[in-house]
Amino acid sequence: MGPRCITCERACKSFPLEHVVVFESKGSSVNNARSGRTHGLDVCLPMAEVESIVESRPGGKELLRSDSRLLRLLCAGRCWKIKSTDSERVLLFVKYTKSQLDEMKRVIQYAELDVKKLSAQKLQAAILNSFGNGHSNVPNCQRYLSESSLNYLKDELSLCVDMRSDGESVSYLLRYVEPIVQIVVQYFDENAPFSLDNNPILSDCLNLIRQFLELESDAPIHRIARAIPALAKLLTSMPYPYDEFYDVNVEDKMEAAKSLNLFLTKGTKMHRRMVVNAAVVSKFSRLLDGWNDDKSIAKVALLGLVNIVDQERFRVDTVVNEGGIQNLIALLESSDKVCVKSSLRLLVIASNKYIQTLLDCGLVAHLLRMVLSHD
């Protein structure tokens, strides 16, 4: 154990309690500055020691056991301003960092808070403070809380927050389609200026693009089409740089794959051509070996390949060249009937030219097992 830090101990013992409880015990104070703390300090003491000092001070134990720390954290979400391209309106976009969400969970456990008894009105007011001073009266159509943050608050922390109605459409965000698409496009375009400040909301933009394309009516397909090359790049590349907000994961790739499939099923011939020209057949073929369950990105890739190859059968050459035959045969063992049917469809198309390859990969044995399993 290293030497004790008298300076940090003194700060914890003398600073106002309401500020000591929001000290952090890690290196940078960047997040503190963003959250607007009066005393934006980090200390080198472990949080357990900081809390021990707070408990020893008059009123400290009561403060630690109250809901005030949780409410302060809810007030400290980071806010982005996304300007509409057709008006002066600005979308206020709030997201909490992973460290903030983890700290909320730790605070709830430490204070033994009964989250079901917390005032929904107080929780709502605290979250609204994250949108900035004076923005609490901004219409709901100009506020958006990151879906990942909202889901964590509701599902992981069981907080009674209702920033959006269940099943609410994202159609109210349609006026912001272009700037949201632009964030994704610029990130993958080496020649375009990109603000690293937008790194944290890249995953959210991918999620919104997919939801825009899923709209039953008024889906802005033509306004999102320029994102197709960027979505295709995401399938097999690892963007940079990484930070605590953003690290490419299977969920991001899944969003990209689903969006590309939506262009294939809902778009025009031009949109289909854009998808194919972005080497998506090759990229989808490589994703077939990622199978693990019916929610796998491999299933999304498989459905996309069927959609393309059914209409352009010569594209099966690319599937074969990417080693797709072995993966398609392996998918016949899936318990997902859609995947089995889709795999068989591609294998039938491939058999016209690659029957020997199918035999060499053991297709007959798999087909026999399928037949016998149904007896």
Side-chain angles (χ1 to χ4, degrees):
M1 181 176 180
R4 300 181 65 82
C5 180
I6 303 301
T7 301
C8 288
E9 282 189 6
R10 189 173 297 159
C12 292
K13 291 178 179 179
S14 59
F15 275 48
L17 278 176
E18 63 270 22
H19 298 297
V20 176
V21 294
V22 290
F23 282 174
E24 289 191 356
S25 59
K26 52 189 179 181
S28 172
S29 60
V30 173
N31 289 334
N32 303 341
R34 286 180 180 156
S35 65
R37 296 181 187 168
T38 304
H39 301 287
L41 297 179
D42 290 333
V43 292
C44 62
L45 303 177
M47 284 308 300
E49 190 168 343
V50 174
E51 290 169 344
S52 177
I53 294 174
V54 172
E55 281 201 3
S56 69
R57 295 177 58 180
K61 188 171 185 179
E62 292 74 12
L63 181 59
L64 288 177
R65 302 292 175 180
S66 71
D67 60 11
S68 60
R69 281 202 297 170
L70 175 61
L71 295 176
R72 283 194 188 93
L73 287 167
L74 288 171
C75 289
R78 186 175 173 190
C79 183
W80 285 260
K81 295 182 180 180
I82 300 178
K83 187 176 179 180
S84 170
T85 54
D86 60 1
S87 72
E88 292 299 315
R89 290 190 180 183
V90 172
L91 176 67
L92 301 177
F93 193 123
V94 164
K95 185 173 185 177
Y96 296 101
T97 68
K98 182 179 184 302
S99 60
Q100 284 176 315
L101 295 170
D102 289 343
E103 180 65 5
M104 290 179 200
K105 186 173 185 178
R106 193 190 70 81
V107 165
I108 289 173
Q109 293 173 341
Y110 179 90
E112 299 179 345
L113 295 176
D114 186 346
V115 294
K116 298 299 183 183
K117 294 182 179 179
L118 295 177
S119 166
Q121 186 174 359
K122 287 171 68 176
L123 294 172
Q124 185 94 349
I127 294 173
L128 288 177
N129 278 335
S130 288
F131 289 90
N133 294 330
H135 291 142
S136 59
N137 294 323
V138 170
N140 287 338
C141 63
Q142 289 180 248
R143 288 197 303 256
Y144 182 78
L145 176 61
S146 163
E147 185 169 290
S148 60
S149 291
L150 180 59
N151 289 341
Y152 191 95
L153 296 177
K154 295 172 67 174
D155 301 336
E156 294 294 323
L157 303 185
S158 300
L159 297 181
C160 298
V161 293
D162 187 23
M163 299 301 295
R164 294 191 285 279
S165 302
D166 289 339
E168 182 180 359
S169 167
V170 295
S171 58
Y172 76 97
L173 296 176
L174 283 175
R175 68 174 66 246
Y176 305 102
V177 167
E178 280 82 3
I180 289 172
V181 168
Q182 182 68 5
I183 290 174
V184 174
V185 170
Q186 287 184 332
Y187 192 80
F188 290 92
D189 187 348
E190 296 177 357
N191 299 316
F194 177 77
S195 172
L196 297 181
D197 204 47
N198 290 327
N199 280 9
I201 57 174
L202 279 169
S203 292
D204 301 277
C205 291
L206 289 166
N207 175 271
L208 285 171
I209 284 174
R210 189 258 305 160
Q211 292 191 67
F212 287 142
L213 292 170
E214 286 179 338
L215 290 172
E216 291 295 329
S217 59
D218 299 325
I221 296 178
H222 62 289
R223 296 160 65 189
I224 302 176
R226 65 194 185 94
I228 288 175
L231 295 171
K233 286 182 180 179
L234 181 57
L235 294 179
T236 53
S237 63
M238 298 296 285
Y240 68 92
Y242 304 108
D243 63 14
E244 68 171 313
F245 282 95
Y246 188 68
D247 188 359
V248 176
N249 50 49
V250 69
E251 286 78 16
D252 294 335
K253 293 188 177 186
M254 179 75 86
E255 294 287 7
K258 286 181 177 179
S259 291
L260 290 167
N261 269 357
L262 286 165
F263 278 111
L264 292 172
T265 56
K266 299 177 71 172
T268 64
K269 289 183 178 179
M270 179 191 72
H271 295 135
R272 290 181 61 86
R273 181 58 45 209
M274 290 177 68
V275 171
V276 172
N277 288 346
V280 167
V281 175
S282 174
K283 295 174 185 292
F284 274 173
S285 298
R286 294 179 213 167
L287 291 173
L288 292 179
D289 64 356
W291 178 263
N292 50 45
D293 56 40
D294 63 347
K295 295 181 181 179
S296 169
I297 191 172
K299 179 178 180 179
V300 181
L302 179 60
L303 294 176
L305 286 173
V306 171
N307 191 305
I308 296 172
V309 177
D310 245 352
Q311 296 189 32
E312 301 179 50
R313 299 203 169 190
F314 69 93
R315 300 286 178 187
V316 78
D317 294 348
T318 303
V319 178
V320 175
N321 292 336
E322 292 291 349
I325 294 298
Q326 191 67 61
N327 292 322
L328 289 172
I329 292 176
L331 286 170
L332 296 177
E333 303 293 332
S334 169
S335 59
D336 188 302
K337 293 181 179 179
V338 173
C339 287
V340 173
K341 183 178 179 180
S342 298
S343 297
L344 282 172
R345 179 60 181 160
L346 290 174
L347 289 169
V348 168
I349 295 174
S351 67
N352 291 327
K353 185 176 180 180
Y354 296 100
I355 185 63
Q356 189 59 51
T357 302
L358 298 182
L359 295 174
D360 291 344
C361 289
L363 176 61
V364 174
H366 279 77
L367 293 177
L368 284 173
R369 278 199 294 272
M370 290 176 65
V371 172
L372 293 174
S373 66
H374 289 290
D375 291 342

